[in-house]
């Protein structure tokens, strides 16, 4: 079979429940998302490192609950009445650190969702107590919400994540390449995202397939000129 060459195709992230790989590092979070009707107080905080699957699980939950998903940085006080008509997922809450109106909006959204009995999901990196928020009332509200974390991946999950990231770019590298990457790369979701993106770009620039040799070049960061 000829080697697969890269093509400049759009990256489409598969966000369905069937596309999320369950492993020991995330099975509790997945169970909580699937059991959303029984969240204490109808609220949940989902944490984890960048690339761990928070956005994916937020969309899985939105598909199940009919929720609206909104980035925290896009949240405005004027949006709160309309948002509160459905369940809501607010992503990357720590990004509100320099946005006073966004923090006020989230505070009012939290209270309105609670009073109307609608579910609220908040996501962010790190424990909520470390989030750099400044509004005391919002900090206390978030601190009282049940929190579930996505932990760093094991080998099996990291391999599956790499395969999915390649598939999102319509690429299908050989299994031995995935094994090679697992042995050489930093062990994090963010590293997986970075290496897949770099390999895709290098393959396109060099007009060569994604092979072990190309991966070695990228991982070793040799700075070799494009060939």
């Amino acid at each position: 079979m000829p080697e697969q060459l890269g093509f400049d195709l759009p990256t489409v992230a598969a966000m369905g429940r069937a596309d999320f790989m369950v492993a020991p590092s995330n099975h509790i979070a997945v169970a909580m998302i699937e059991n959303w009707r029984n969240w204490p107080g109808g609220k949940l905080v989902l944490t984890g490192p960048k690339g761990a699957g928070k956005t994916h699980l937020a969309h899985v939950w939105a598909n199940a609950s009919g929720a609206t998903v909104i980035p925290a940085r896009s949240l405005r006080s004027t949006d709160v009445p309309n948002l509160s008509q459905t369940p809501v997922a607010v992503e990357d809450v720590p990004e509100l650190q320099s946005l006073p109106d966004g923090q006020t909006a989230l505070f009012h959204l939290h209270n309105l969702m609670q009073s109307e009995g609608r579910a609220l999901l908040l996501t962010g990196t790190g424990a909520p107590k470390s989030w750099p928020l400044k509004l005391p009332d919002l900090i206390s509200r978030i601190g009282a919400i049940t929190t579930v974390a996505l932990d760093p991946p094991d080998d099996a999950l990291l391999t599956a994540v790499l395969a999915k990231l390649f598939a999102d770019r319509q690429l299908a590298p050989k299994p031995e390449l995935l094994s090679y990457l697992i042995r050489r790369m930093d062990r994090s979701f963010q590293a997986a995202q970075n290496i897949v993106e770099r390999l895709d770009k290098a393959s396109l620039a060099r007009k060569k397939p994604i092979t072990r040799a190309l991966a070695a070049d990228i991982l070793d960061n040799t700075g070799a000129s494009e060939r």
Side-chain angles (χ1 to χ4, degrees), residues 56-101:
H56 193 154
L57 282 183
H59 281 84
V60 167
W61 177 65
N63 289 336
S65 66
T68 299
V69 180
I70 182 171
R73 293 186 66 86
S74 299
L75 190 59
R76 301 291 183 270
S77 294
T78 53
D79 299 330
V80 170
N82 286 335
L83 283 173
S84 65
Q85 299 307 302
T86 66
V88 177
V90 182
E91 292 197 281
D92 300 318
V93 173
E95 292 189 1
L96 292 175
Q97 60 177 311
S98 59
L99 300 171
D101 180 64

Side-chain angles (χ1 to χ4, degrees), residues 34-199:
E34 293 180 338
N35 195 36
W36 65 273
R37 289 182 177 83
N38 294 315
W39 290 350
K43 298 168 288 186
L44 185 71
V45 172
L46 176 64
T47 69
K50 186 174 181 180
K54 298 186 297 296
T55 291
H56 193 154
L57 282 183
H59 281 84
V60 167
W61 177 65
N63 289 336
S65 66
T68 299
V69 180
I70 182 171
R73 293 186 66 86
S74 299
L75 190 59
R76 301 291 183 270
S77 294
T78 53
D79 299 330
V80 170
N82 286 335
L83 283 173
S84 65
Q85 299 307 302
T86 66
V88 177
V90 182
E91 292 197 281
D92 300 318
V93 173
E95 292 189 1
L96 292 175
Q97 60 177 311
S98 59
L99 300 171
D101 180 64
Q103 294 185 45
T104 300
L106 183 55
F107 171 72
H108 290 306
L109 178 64
H110 169 280
N111 292 345
L112 190 55
M113 298 291 283
Q114 186 170 38
S115 67
E116 296 190 357
R118 300 193 192 281
L120 177 66
L121 175 66
L122 307 179
T123 76
T125 300
K129 64 181 180 181
S130 71
W131 291 357
L133 304 175
K134 298 180 176 64
L135 187 63
D137 287 339
L138 177 60
I139 294 171
S140 65
R141 297 297 193 279
I142 292 177
I145 299 176
T146 298
T147 298
V148 64
L150 292 164
D151 295 327
D154 57 18
D155 279 3
L157 178 56
L158 196 56
T159 300
V161 167
L162 281 171
K164 180 184 181 301
L165 291 170
F166 279 116
D168 287 343
R169 294 172 178 269
Q170 303 183 48
L171 298 169
K174 294 180 178 179
E176 52 264 34
L177 176 62
L178 299 182
S179 298
Y180 176 77
L181 292 175
I182 293 296
R183 294 195 302 270
R184 297 286 308 280
M185 62 184 283
D186 291 339
R187 308 191 62 74
S188 71
F189 293 107
Q190 185 60 51
Q193 289 183 326
N194 290 342
I195 190 61
V196 169
E197 180 179 3
R198 292 170 64 192
L199 284 169

Side-chain angles (χ1 to χ4, degrees), residues 198 206 214-227:
R198 292 170 64 192
R206 304 180 189 192
L214 179 62
D217 190 18
I218 295 300
L219 288 169
D220 291 339
N221 194 23
T222 61
S225 59
E226 296 296 302
R227 297 187 289 274

